[in-house]
């Protein structure tokens, strides 16, 4: 019989190696690509907040306020000035959330099994989707962390049913909503998971715990959406935002078919490279199938229901981007780990002992081999299925050209969407104007940047710089 203390030490050693490896991989590629347009918008808001310009929630075109306050707070604690903000520093704020999610997975070993969580954490540590969006300065990494923290907190509360657990659940729910308004989709999936195991009845019987959780969630919500009691209209604006999100979910330029996420993970070829993680999908299916057998635990069934409902919800909503897959993807790695852990059934004892580790290594090796270009050669290439409308690696060249100009030079940027992320990189220049059509006094500007989506009639002699796929900027001095 194995020594429990020795097994625990081995598990902790392996968990530590996985976290160190995950951190190293993420730090290695944290500056592989310039800011995405969405990252630049979040960075600009954080910069304004850190400069003392305040923050007020915008229900029309922004997500929740948590990321801005977290990044500004981290910057102050680290002694970063507004001028010192850059890609590495801001992305490190979301990197901590990504590593925290892996730690949560490892911390669930007592409920889901050590083999399951070790395999899941290894898959998550090396997954291109997770590596990329753990180092994207958008809300998704923190949203994913808070969602899985809430899931595991609910599992813990089912066992001990303490008031402290209820307050923790409420705080995490409030932080989820303060990060992204689409938290309601995750709450619905969590509700389905609780319903599938009869846990909603238990919550109903502990109504005082439910009230405590709702109170804490409301408190966190008010703190963030009121800009810490400085902008009270944000509290109601946080609710009004759902009108905008309902319209965006039904019709937008980012609409994709229902099979979009499946196609991303299924085997396919693009740009001369083979992409996809079919082995992960096969093992996740096996894990989900086991979760609905009588031998499965309540925690395993809740995991399967939550992951499947969340994945189906995002699949049937027309609005899709790769980073929205991040939270369900964590569930897929856990289900794949569960499938590998249960692969011993029917095998001889000498084979059953090594089967989970072998399958886990095969899935991990296949994923690394097939998807390594995603964080290397194709890091900023739209042939990479894990990135979406990436900023061209050519843009830093334009930024360097502009940086060499005297700061008083007047610049006009003529673009339908202000050519984001360019406004972030030009934020310290005082004489930049942004226009959707050429201004009447265009001759007054020393430098003009035209978006290729506009009919400019420029001469062929102007310089050309990439902005994003199929969009270039014409540089006319």
């Amino acid at each position: 019989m194995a020594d429990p203390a020795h097994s625990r030490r081995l598990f902790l050693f392996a968990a530590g190696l996985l976290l160190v490896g995950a951190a190293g991989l993420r730090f290695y590629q944290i500056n592989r690509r310039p800011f995405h347009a969405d990252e630049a918008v979040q960075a600009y808001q954080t910069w304004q907040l850190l400069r003392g310009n305040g923050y007020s929630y915008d229900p029309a075109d922004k997500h929740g306020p948590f990321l801005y306050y977290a990044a500004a707070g981290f910057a102050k604690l680290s002694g970063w000035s507004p001028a010192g903000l850059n890609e590495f520093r801001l992305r490190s704020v979301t990197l901590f959330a990504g590593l925290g999610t892996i730690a949560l997975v490892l911390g669930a070993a007592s409920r889901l099994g050590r083999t399951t969580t070790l395999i899941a954490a290894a898959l998550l540590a090396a997954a291109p989707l997770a590596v990329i969006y753990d180092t994207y300065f958008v809300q998704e990494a923190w949203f994913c962390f808070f969602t899985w923290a809430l899931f595991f907190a609910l599992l813990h509360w089912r066992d001990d049913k303490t008031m402290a657990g209820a307050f923790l659940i409420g705080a995490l729910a409030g932080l989820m909503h303060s990060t992204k308004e689409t938290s309601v989709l995750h709450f619905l999936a969590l509700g389905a998971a609780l319903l599938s195991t009869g846990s909603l009845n238990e919550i109903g019987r502990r109504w005082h715990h439910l009230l405590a959780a709702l109170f804490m969630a409301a408190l966190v919500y008010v703190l963030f959406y009121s800009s810490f009691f400085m902008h009270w209209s944000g509290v109601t604006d946080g609710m009004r935002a759902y009108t905008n999100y309902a319209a965006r979910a039904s019709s937008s330029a980012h609409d994709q078919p229902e099979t979009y996420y499946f196609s991303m993970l299924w085997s396919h070829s693009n740009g001369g490279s083979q992409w996809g993680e079919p082995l992960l999908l096969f093992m996740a299916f096996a894990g989900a199938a086991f979760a609905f057998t009588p031998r499965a635990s309540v925690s395993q069934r809740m995991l399967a229901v939550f992951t499947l409902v969340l994945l189906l919800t995002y699949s049937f909503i027309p609005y899709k981007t790769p980073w929205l897959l991040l939270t369900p993807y964590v569930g897929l790695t856990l289900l794949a780990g569960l499938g590998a852990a249960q692969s011993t059934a029917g095998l001889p004892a000498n084979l059953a002992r090594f089967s989970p580790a072998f399958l886990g290594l095969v899935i991990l090796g296949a994923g690394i081999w097939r998807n390594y270009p995603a964080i290397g050669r194709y890091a900023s290439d739209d042939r990479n299925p894990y990135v979406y409308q990436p900023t061209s690696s050519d843009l830093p060249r334009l930024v360097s050209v502009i940086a060499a100009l005297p700061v008083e030079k007047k610049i006009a940027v003529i673009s339908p969407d202000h050519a984001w992320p360019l406004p972030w990189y030009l934020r310290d220049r005082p004489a930049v104007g942004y226009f959707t059509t050429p201004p009447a006094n265009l001759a007054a500007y020393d430098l003009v940047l035209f978006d290729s989506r506009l009919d400019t009639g420029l001469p062929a002699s102007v310089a050309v710089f990439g902005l994003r796929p199929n969009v270039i900027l014409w540089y006319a001095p």
Side-chain angles (χ1 to χ4, degrees):
M1 175 179 273
D3 179 9
H6 178 67
S7 297
R8 185 173 182 274
R9 286 195 295 271
L10 282 177
F11 174 79
L12 291 175
F13 177 73
L17 283 180
L18 282 173
L19 285 170
V20 171
L25 182 59
R26 284 153 176 76
F27 274 117
Y28 165 75
Q29 67 85 61
I30 198 168
N31 280 333
R32 292 286 298 183
R33 57 186 66 81
F35 263 159
H36 183 275
D38 286 6
E39 288 184 281
V41 172
Q42 318 309 322
Y44 194 88
Q45 179 61 67
T46 302
W47 175 67
Q48 292 278 40
L49 182 60
L50 197 58
R51 293 176 71 202
N53 293 338
Y55 167 81
S56 59
Y57 176 72
D58 177 7
D61 194 34
K62 297 291 187 298
H63 283 303
F66 174 82
L67 180 65
Y68 313 126
Y69 282 107
F74 196 87
K76 288 184 178 181
L77 289 173
S78 303
W80 303 339
S81 66
L85 294 181
N86 55 36
E87 288 100 328
F88 179 87
R89 288 179 170 180
L90 288 171
R91 285 172 173 166
S92 66
V93 176
T94 54
L95 185 147
F96 281 109
L99 295 178
T101 301
I102 298 175
L104 286 173
V105 167
L106 291 165
S110 61
R111 288 178 175 77
L112 299 176
R114 289 178 180 173
T115 301
T116 295
T117 54
L118 277 175
I119 292 174
L123 296 174
L124 195 58
L129 183 78
V131 172
I132 291 169
Y133 292 111
D134 285 351
T135 51
Y136 245 55
F137 190 64
V138 294
Q139 286 79 4
E140 213 62 37
W142 279 106
F143 190 43
C144 177
F145 171 78
F146 289 136
T147 297
W148 284 102
L150 178 58
F151 177 82
F152 292 125
L154 284 167
L155 292 184
H156 188 76
W157 180 87
R158 287 187 73 262
D159 294 337
D160 61 20
K161 297 180 180 61
T162 64
M163 183 62 76
F167 277 116
L168 175 62
I169 287 170
L172 290 169
L175 287 168
M176 281 174 62
H177 195 278
S178 297
T179 304
K180 284 189 75 174
E181 303 82 349
T182 48
S183 57
V184 293
L185 301 178
H186 293 206
F187 295 148
L188 290 173
L190 285 167
L194 291 169
L195 181 63
S196 70
T197 57
S199 301
L200 284 180
N201 294 331
E202 189 64 34
I203 293 174
R205 287 193 292 270
R206 302 268 178 166
W207 59 267
H208 52 297
H209 284 199
L210 178 60
L211 289 177
L214 290 173
F215 169 78
M216 184 58 70
L219 177 61
V220 172
Y221 170 85
V222 170
L223 280 174
F224 279 101
Y225 278 87
S226 70
S227 302
F228 291 86
F229 311 124
M230 298 295 291
H231 183 70
W232 282 101
S233 64
V235 176
T236 54
D237 286 342
M239 295 292 105
R240 290 198 304 112
Y242 286 107
T243 303
N244 300 317
Y245 281 100
R248 190 179 301 178
S250 60
S251 177
S252 96
H254 307 290
D255 287 0
Q256 302 289 348
E258 289 82 359
T259 57
Y260 176 75
Y261 295 121
F262 177 79
S263 300
M264 184 191 306
L265 298 177
W266 191 246
S267 180
H268 65 282
S269 179
N270 190 19
S273 289
Q274 194 69 23
W275 305 97
E277 305 171 60
L279 288 180
L280 173 72
L281 291 178
F282 277 125
M283 291 310 301
F285 177 80
F290 171 80
F292 290 100
T293 65
R295 294 188 295 125
S297 68
V298 170
S299 297
Q300 291 165 340
R301 181 166 299 179
M302 281 187 62
L303 168 66
V305 173
F306 174 62
T307 301
L308 294 175
V309 171
L310 196 58
L311 187 57
L312 287 172
T313 300
Y314 277 120
S315 294
F316 282 101
I317 292 174
Y319 185 100
K320 294 180 180 70
T321 61
W323 55 81
L324 296 180
L325 183 61
L326 185 60
T327 302
Y329 188 89
V330 175
L332 290 176
T333 63
L334 281 164
L335 289 175
L338 178 59
Q342 298 303 319
S343 65
T344 59
L347 294 177
N350 57 336
L351 291 178
R353 183 178 177 184
F354 301 104
S355 174
F358 174 75
L359 283 174
L361 287 173
V362 168
I363 302 169
L364 179 63
I368 292 174
W369 174 68
R370 296 183 70 160
N371 296 308
Y372 176 77
I375 58 175
R377 179 181 178 184
Y378 296 100
S380 295
D381 194 309
D382 65 333
R383 288 172 288 183
N384 179 350
Y386 300 104
V387 299
Y388 186 70
Q389 297 181 354
T391 299
S392 171
S393 56
D394 190 39
L395 187 66
R397 185 168 63 95
L398 171 60
V399 173
S400 297
V401 169
I402 296 175
L405 299 175
V407 72
E408 68 272 8
K409 291 286 186 179
K410 296 182 68 176
I411 302 172
V413 179
I414 306 170
S415 168
D417 55 15
H418 290 184
W420 284 97
L422 194 60
W424 161 257
Y425 293 108
L426 303 184
R427 66 192 183 279
D428 289 322
R429 298 190 71 94
V432 181
Y434 295 92
F435 310 93
T436 56
T437 58
N441 62 336
L442 190 60
Y445 289 89
D446 302 296
L447 167 66
V448 180
L449 295 171
F450 288 95
D451 192 304
S452 63
R453 290 169 291 180
L454 301 174
D455 183 13
T456 59
L458 289 173
S461 60
V462 298
V464 175
F465 297 88
L467 179 63
R468 62 178 74 98
N470 302 315
V471 180
I472 59 177
L473 293 175
W474 304 88
Y475 179 108

